[in-house]
Amino acid sequence: MLIPNQKIDLPILGEKGVSLYIKREDSIHPHISGNKYRKLKYNLQEAKKLNHSTLLTFGGAFSNHIAATACAGIEQGLKTIGVIRGEELKDNWQDNPTLQLAREHGMEFHFVSRSDYQKKNEKSFLDELKDVFGEFYLIPEGGSNELAVEGCKEILTETDSRFDFICSCVGTGGTIAGLINSAKPHQTVWGFPALKGNFLKEDIRKFARNENWELISDYHFGGYAKVDADLIDFINTFKKETGIPLDPIYTGKMVFGIFDLIKKDAFKKGTQILAIHTGGLQGIKGMNLVLKKRNLPLLDV
């Protein structure tokens, strides 16, 4: 059940005269949460329309998209195949909470080397996969395509038109493209990339029709899946103070960035901000395994 936009009542917001709300997209579904639900919605409809019985997609060891596709597939009566980056996972995937969840929901895995994984958009590689698995409906890594963007346009509703800024984390660019396309003319969309690099702008421009957006690239914490003790402490403190869990890969970095910008007076008084919680909470268990090996504090589950 979707939780209504949740107002954040923390002292810094009152001091700066700024309002912050979290759109709880993470509450849509217990396993297919946040932007993954939105991205898969119309792709699942299209797969059925084309009479496909199998979905095939790509992802890494802790991919939210892999987990969500497996769960969506079993709900819709569709077989799912996950092409997983990293051959080393073939013999120990049972130790990975994300892959465990996907397998419990019926996903078949195909582990490939990192070099082969880079061929995921090449026709010859996809043809090889068809030789192995037969015909399938292809969903790209992260789920971002035209149909995914259409689904993500539905994140914002008419009641959200009062906000000045819409903030979203950015992975493959589909979610923010949908937000850009549905935002009102007076609204500015800020994206907080979880990855290093400027390539995301071009990926977003493939789908975004408006120019009311900007990427804030200072809060990736070193790159995809990179975290430190400060970020962990922020996420745990935020959950304790607000009751809202954040994931360390995407939403935690975004909300950290929003509060840092508020402290730096990036928003004028009276500004109303809506931050999109895109889910991804299933990845916390896997991240805690990594943090434990690095002797870092663990995230509250």
Side-chain angles (χ1 to χ4, degrees):
M1 179 177 157
L2 184 61
I3 297 172
N5 292 346
Q6 192 165 339
K7 186 177 183 181
I8 306 303
D9 289 312
L10 295 176
I12 185 65
L13 297 168
E15 292 168 15
K16 298 293 185 177
V18 173
S19 297
L20 173 64
Y21 287 75
I22 305 288
K23 180 171 274 290
R24 296 294 305 275
E25 289 283 293
D26 60 302
S27 65
I28 288 179
H29 187 283
H31 297 305
I32 318 164
S33 70
N35 61 341
K36 301 310 175 191
Y37 180 95
R38 303 292 188 177
K39 287 180 174 183
L40 287 168
K41 177 181 176 180
Y42 291 117
N43 274 291
L44 292 170
Q45 290 181 15
E46 184 70 6
K48 288 194 164 186
K49 178 182 174 183
L50 297 174
N51 294 316
H52 283 285
S53 60
T54 301
L55 307 174
L56 182 142
T57 194
F58 298 84
F62 298 105
S63 167
N64 295 320
H65 172 66
I66 286 291
T69 301
C71 297
I74 201 167
E75 280 198 2
Q76 297 294 320
L78 298 168
K79 179 181 177 181
T80 56
I81 299 164
V83 180
I84 309 299
R85 182 180 62 245
E87 287 178 309
E88 71 278 3
L89 295 164
K90 186 174 183 178
D91 297 323
N92 60 3
W93 64 264
Q94 297 90 342
D95 300 327
N96 180 297
T98 298
L99 298 182
Q100 280 182 10
L101 177 64
R103 177 56 63 86
E104 287 169 7
H105 288 79
M107 179 171 275
E108 179 180 348
F109 299 137
H110 182 64
F111 297 94
V112 298
S113 66
R114 281 164 170 72
S115 57
D116 280 347
Y117 191 84
Q118 296 304 314
K119 303 174 185 176
K120 60 185 177 291
N121 297 321
E122 296 179 12
K123 183 180 182 302
S124 59
F125 184 60
L126 295 174
D127 287 341
E128 289 176 17
L129 292 173
K130 286 181 181 178
D131 290 338
V132 175
F133 298 108
E135 287 297 318
F136 52 77
Y137 182 84
L138 176 66
I139 300 177
E141 179 185 43
S144 290
N145 57 16
E146 291 281 1
L147 290 173
V149 173
E150 285 302 303
C152 289
K153 281 173 62 177
E154 297 176 357
I155 293 173
L156 295 179
T157 66
E158 281 301 316
T159 59
D160 298 324
S161 61
R162 67 188 181 88
F163 293 100
D164 304 298
F165 282 83
I166 309 297
C167 294
S168 174
C169 43
V170 181
T172 52
T175 302
I176 192 173
L179 294 169
I180 290 165
N181 291 345
S182 61
K184 301 296 184 183
H186 69 274
Q187 295 178 314
T188 300
V189 180
W190 275 6
F192 292 75
L195 302 85
K196 280 184 177 180
N198 294 319
F199 61 93
L200 280 170
K201 288 185 178 180
E202 295 309 312
D203 290 343
I204 294 166
R205 287 194 179 104
K206 292 176 186 175
F207 302 114
R209 296 195 301 268
N210 301 315
E211 297 296 328
N212 56 336
W213 59 281
E214 183 180 346
L215 292 185
I216 311 299
S217 303
D218 300 325
Y219 300 100
H220 52 64
F221 283 80
Y224 183 73
K226 299 287 181 67
V227 301
D228 63 18
D230 288 340
L231 180 62
I232 297 164
D233 179 65
F234 174 84
I235 291 171
N236 286 339
T237 301
F238 188 80
K239 182 180 179 183
K240 183 179 180 180
E241 294 179 339
T242 68
I244 302 175
L246 303 172
D247 86 286
I249 309 299
Y250 294 105
T251 55
K253 294 179 179 181
M254 171 191 68
V255 177
F256 182 99
I258 291 170
F259 273 91
D260 191 53
L261 291 167
I262 289 170
K263 292 173 186 174
K264 293 176 178 176
D265 296 315
F267 303 99
K268 65 182 181 181
K269 285 189 176 182
T271 297
Q272 297 197 75
I273 306 164
L274 179 65
I276 312 299
H277 194 316
T278 54
L281 300 176
Q282 67 82 27
I284 290 177
K285 289 182 180 178
M287 177 57 75
N288 274 342
L289 295 177
V290 175
L291 296 174
K292 190 173 182 179
K293 289 179 181 178
R294 292 175 55 192
N295 293 315
L296 286 170
L298 302 184
L299 292 152
D300 293 339
V301 179

